[in-house]
Amino acid sequence: MIKLVRGFKDILPADTALWQHVEGVVRELLEDFGFAELRIPVLEQTELFARSIGAGTDIVEKEMYTFTDRGGASLSLRPEATASVVRAYVEHRMYAKDPVCKLYTIGPMFRRERPQRGRYRQFHQINAEIFGLHDPRTDAELILLLMTFFGRLELGSVALHINSLGCPECRPRFKDALKLFLAGRPEEFCSDCLRRKDENPLRLFDCKVPDCKEAMQEAPSILDDLCEACSTHFDDVKRSLDRFQIPYQINNRLVRGLDYYTRTTFEVLGESLGAQDAVAGGGRYDGLVKALGGPNEPGVGFAVGVDRLMELLAGRAQDFEKRPHIFVAAIGETAQDMAFEWVQGLRLQGVRTEMDFENRSLKSQMRRADKLGASYVVIVGDRELDEGVAIFRDMATKEQEQVVLQEVVGTAVDRIRTSTVGGES
Ligand code: AMP
């Protein structure tokens, strides 16, 4: 038997209804917040990721699925979406029409990390990006959107961490302070950290090696080195969050180790997720559009890890499973033909309807209706046909009533519409 590739997974029908629910909630919310969907390819030139994520990052150095195309080009499966969204913003000159642009995209990402709970080689993200706005309320608006999304999903216990990374003006001071810190204790760091420390010491905050993490606990805080403009920006973001009573923790270890990232960074942690506890992350990247050949427009965005979100929602899949509203149990050829017409008529009116074509016994059809979780069963056999009626059985109350054959479809539609008013069933 040929099996799944390690780190990849199937999302089975028992779970897809919940995925669709989550996607439905977020699409509606994103559109209310003024975002439009952008669909980007899963494959890009490797160079795009090397330039945006950074050639010296774990993602680019070790985790990308990269291959040489038959034409000789180096291509990679996308490990994240921001680079592609920025590429599209620049390539299609979206900024020329309006520099302010709010885009979202949903889809799979690929990183060849070591698979473990909450970490897959194909995983899914919801990405939202805003271009063209410097105002700190924009950063807060994105966080607000994220927290509203999690609130609508009734996610339970999540913690928002925020930090500021400063800007090209104040960050060099902090980098110097970091280098000095490192110079005093090189033996505490792994070889990757030591190799990367000169080109960008901020990457050390991203290292997953436990000893490095431990050593970085004592590193200086970037918040002590912010310039006045960055400090004011950060205060304004916090003020907006306070205004909407969004609780947050300041985490001065929360860093994206690239020069394109500026000022606000944030992460949302799910308390029950274990080691891989970040369910979403984001921040401002005011230099990235320019670095990828576009105008000097700022950007800010986030990515939600949908697989981890699903883990936080575990056990809720049944609530969203689409069970049939009506199961038609027909016995005998004539009844089966008539039932087939009802089924088609009901489906055309948006009523989820099933029947059994195999002409099995009533008992076995009732068992199937029960197994599928149908709300009502319509029973029709020779006797009912003679009497010109069908039996309507409410599977929850077990009550039965007779309905004349011509009114079966209309009655079923009415029943389902009344029972679904105020919520999906
Ligand atoms: P990043 O692009 O690394 O900032 O990740 C954004 C979000 O994507 C994280 O907060 C995770 O929820 C999710 N994520 C990143 N890598 C993986 C992975 N290998 N497997 C599952 N989810 C991931």
Side-chain angles (χ1 to χ4, degrees):
M1 186 180 46
I2 299 172
K3 291 204 169 164
L4 270 170
V5 176
R6 188 165 131 83
F8 287 63
K9 66 176 178 194
D10 298 311
I11 301 162
L12 298 174
D15 295 317
T16 46
L18 183 59
W19 281 73
Q20 287 172 3
H21 168 71
V22 166
E23 286 165 8
V25 169
V26 82
R27 277 178 197 281
E28 193 179 312
L29 198 59
L30 282 158
E31 281 159 23
D32 288 347
F33 273 71
F35 288 77
E37 186 180 8
L38 171 74
R39 298 198 182 189
I40 42 179
V42 293
L43 204 63
E44 298 272 4
Q45 314 227 21
T46 305
E47 173 73 11
L48 174 68
F49 303 117
R51 267 172 52 191
S52 57
I53 302 167
T57 52
D58 275 357
I59 293 182
V60 172
E61 277 184 357
K62 303 178 191 165
E63 296 169 1
M64 284 205 303
Y65 285 93
T66 297
F67 66 96
T68 308
D69 183 51
R70 283 171 204 271
S74 176
L75 305 179
S76 296
L77 286 177
R78 61 180 184 195
E80 58 109 51
T82 306
S84 305
V85 177
V86 174
R87 180 201 46 70
Y89 176 72
V90 173
E91 185 167 350
H92 302 289
R93 295 172 53 83
M94 293 186 205
Y95 54 82
K97 195 167 156 222
D98 185 351
V100 179
C101 203
K102 293 171 151 185
L103 302 169
Y104 78 90
T105 193
I106 302 178
M109 309 294 151
F110 305 85
R111 293 182 198 170
R112 203 177 184 289
E113 294 184 90
R114 197 171 54 78
Q116 63 181 88
R117 178 182 167 204
R119 196 198 271 162
Y120 311 98
R121 291 180 170 177
Q122 175 176 331
F123 57 98
H124 301 79
Q125 284 187 346
I126 299 161
N127 276 81
E129 318 283 350
I130 302 181
F131 298 107
L133 292 171
H134 289 281
D135 196 286
R137 274 170 292 205
T138 315
D139 314 33
E141 182 186 35
L142 268 175
I143 296 175
L144 206 56
L145 162 55
L146 196 57
M147 299 317 276
T148 309
F149 172 43
F150 291 161
R152 283 206 183 160
L153 294 177
E154 296 171 29
L155 209 55
S157 203
V158 290
L160 169 67
H161 287 197
I162 60 169
N163 191 22
S164 174
L165 292 185
C167 66
E169 201 172 299
C170 53
R171 203 174 325 149
R173 261 202 312 272
F174 176 65
K175 282 189 183 172
D176 288 343
L178 258 186
K179 282 183 192 165
L180 210 65
F181 166 78
L182 274 160
R185 50 179 85 196
E187 68 289 349
E188 293 176 29
F189 291 91
C190 71
S191 56
D192 277 347
C193 280
L194 294 175
R195 185 165 52 81
R196 290 170 181 166
K197 74 179 185 333
D198 293 324
E199 131 212 6
N200 190 349
L202 259 64
R203 301 243 169 91
L204 273 66
F205 285 108
D206 286 335
C207 184
K208 292 168 193 148
V209 175
D211 283 350
C212 301
K213 274 191 173 168
E214 168 95 35
M216 287 307 279
Q217 291 295 325
E218 287 169 36
S221 163
I222 190 159
L223 295 176
D224 296 335
D225 281 310
L226 294 184
C227 64
E228 207 178 316
C230 286
S231 201
T232 308
H233 187 100
F234 194 43
D235 286 343
D236 287 347
V237 172
K238 289 185 281 183
R239 193 156 337 127
S240 288
L241 295 178
D242 292 337
R243 180 185 298 268
F244 293 98
Q245 285 151 16
I246 307 281
Y248 56 84
Q249 291 171 39
I250 295 170
N251 176 353
N252 61 17
R253 295 292 177 262
L254 191 63
V255 155
R256 299 192 159 230
L258 274 161
D259 284 340
Y260 312 125
Y261 291 96
T262 49
R263 298 189 167 169
T264 320
T265 49
F266 52 91
E267 206 160 69
V268 181
L269 308 178
E271 284 170 12
S272 57
L273 282 177
Q276 304 301 320
D277 59 353
V279 68
R284 195 166 257 289
Y285 47 84
D286 288 348
L288 187 56
V289 175
K290 187 154 188 260
L292 291 179
N296 195 11
E297 292 293 345
V300 52
F302 67 66
V304 179
V306 188
D307 310 76
R308 292 185 195 168
L309 191 55
M310 290 301 157
E311 199 176 320
L312 289 173
L313 292 170
R316 305 258 292 277
Q318 283 139 293
D319 303 351
F320 300 98
E321 230 177 292
K322 300 266 192 301
R323 289 180 278 271
H325 296 119
I326 306 279
F327 186 95
V328 187
I331 298 106
E333 272 306 305
T334 320
Q336 286 244 313
D337 281 340
M338 184 180 287
F340 194 11
E341 284 186 26
W342 293 341
V343 168
Q344 174 67 357
L346 284 167
R347 287 174 175 167
L348 291 183
Q349 295 193 64
V351 177
R352 288 195 298 271
T353 312
E354 275 303 320
M355 75 174 280
D356 180 280
F357 288 141
E358 307 284 292
N359 203 7
R360 275 187 267 257
S361 70
L362 178 61
K363 197 169 159 198
S364 108
Q365 293 199 42
M366 292 305 287
R367 255 204 312 268
R368 180 149 178 79
D370 206 37
K371 192 168 163 192
L372 293 174
S375 311
Y376 293 91
V377 179
V378 177
I379 302 163
V380 60
D382 290 340
R383 197 177 59 199
E384 286 75 23
L385 287 182
D386 284 347
E387 291 171 10
V389 293
I391 296 167
F392 241 78
R393 181 178 169 87
D394 182 326
M395 294 297 274
T397 63
K398 313 283 182 229
E399 277 168 26
Q400 298 199 159
E401 62 178 309
Q402 292 193 333
V403 174
V404 293
L405 295 176
Q406 293 73 12
E407 285 171 16
V408 165
V409 171
T411 308
V413 171
D414 283 351
R415 276 309 132 75
I416 298 310
R417 298 246 159 95
T418 341
S419 71
T420 53
V421 170
E424 236 305 29
S425 87

